[in-house]
Every structure is written in structure tokens, then in C-alpha cells.
Amino acid sequence: MEERLEQYLQRLPKVEPGRSLAPSVMARIAERERPSYRRYKRWVVVFGAAVLFVLMLTTNLPLTPRLELFGYRTVRLVFCSTVRNPKTVAVAGDFSDWESIPMERIDENCFALTLRLRPGKYEYGFLVDGKWVPDPLSLRAVADGFGSVNSVLVVDGDTE
């Protein structure tokens, strides 16, 4: 079969392409315009990635479940008061430059707050109706230098 094909091909007339064939083909290729969406495809992808990155860093949307960016860890502080039905509870510590952060009431006597902190050791305490109260659930405490005690929070096992 291969021999027959070879004989057939040898009997075909030999035709050389003219000098104008290559330039005419190239001119037709150049005439075709690329679809416009291809020009913008790269920019759409870059813009979308940038928007997603900004949302991941600046919002609490569940865009990255269990992915902690840049070493931050999620810490939930819960305070249950022995005082019956406190009006306000806030937390303050060196993680907030000692500015008080209001906590959310989750029960009649319990309040909670979720923070994103870098691994390390933090001193903190609660402000219950304006009065400084160390965390009763904390296993570590240090003197604050003002005659009271600060609780110590260790994030991600840093023991120093």
C-alpha cells in the first residue's frame, strides 16, 4: 500500500508556490483583529485578585476559612461576671494600646469578643461597669505597677 501511495505522489505535477504567496498569507493574518476581550482578560484577572486580597485582609468575610494571614490568630475572649447582670464589659490590653474594646453580651452575665492577634504574650484585663477586673479564667497574671493585676494571654504557644 505504501508503494502505491509513493507512486501516486511521484506522478503528481510539481508546483512551486509563487513569490506572492507568503506575503499575501501574512497580510491576511495581520488583517484579522483579535477579539477585544482578550486584551482585557489579564487586567480583569489582576483586578479580581487584588479585590479578593483586599477583602481577605480588611473584612471578616469567610473568604479564607482556617487560613490565618501573616501570622495572625483568632482568639475569643469570654468573660462571665460574678456580679449580677453588669451593664457594660470591655477588654483592654497591650494588644489594643490599653484602649478599651466593648464586648458583646452573649448571656445575662457573659460577654465575648473575638480578636485577631499575632503570636506572643499579651497583658490585659476587663472593665466591668468601669472597674478593672483581671480575667478569672486566666492561669497567668502579673502585677500591673498600679496596685492591681493584669491577666496574661499567650497566643499560639509562645511561652516567654
Side-chain angles (χ1 to χ4, degrees), residues 52-121:
L52 182 63
F53 185 71
V54 168
L55 285 174
M56 286 179 358
L57 291 178
T58 60
T59 68
N60 290 329
L61 294 175
L63 299 173
T64 56
R66 300 187 185 177
L67 173 65
E68 300 293 342
L69 297 174
F70 305 114
Y72 284 94
R73 303 292 180 257
T74 301
V75 177
R76 183 163 172 87
L77 293 175
V78 177
F79 178 78
C80 291
S81 177
T82 56
V83 176
R84 188 86 175 138
N85 200 12
K87 291 182 179 141
T88 62
V89 175
V91 65
D94 51 9
F95 50 79
S96 66
D97 291 329
W98 298 100
E99 294 291 325
S100 63
I101 303 171
M103 298 180 74
E104 179 182 339
R105 183 183 299 268
I106 58 173
D107 194 5
E108 185 177 329
N109 294 328
C110 293
F111 294 77
L113 177 68
T114 302
L115 299 169
R116 289 177 50 87
L117 302 173
R118 289 187 185 273
K121 182 174 75 171

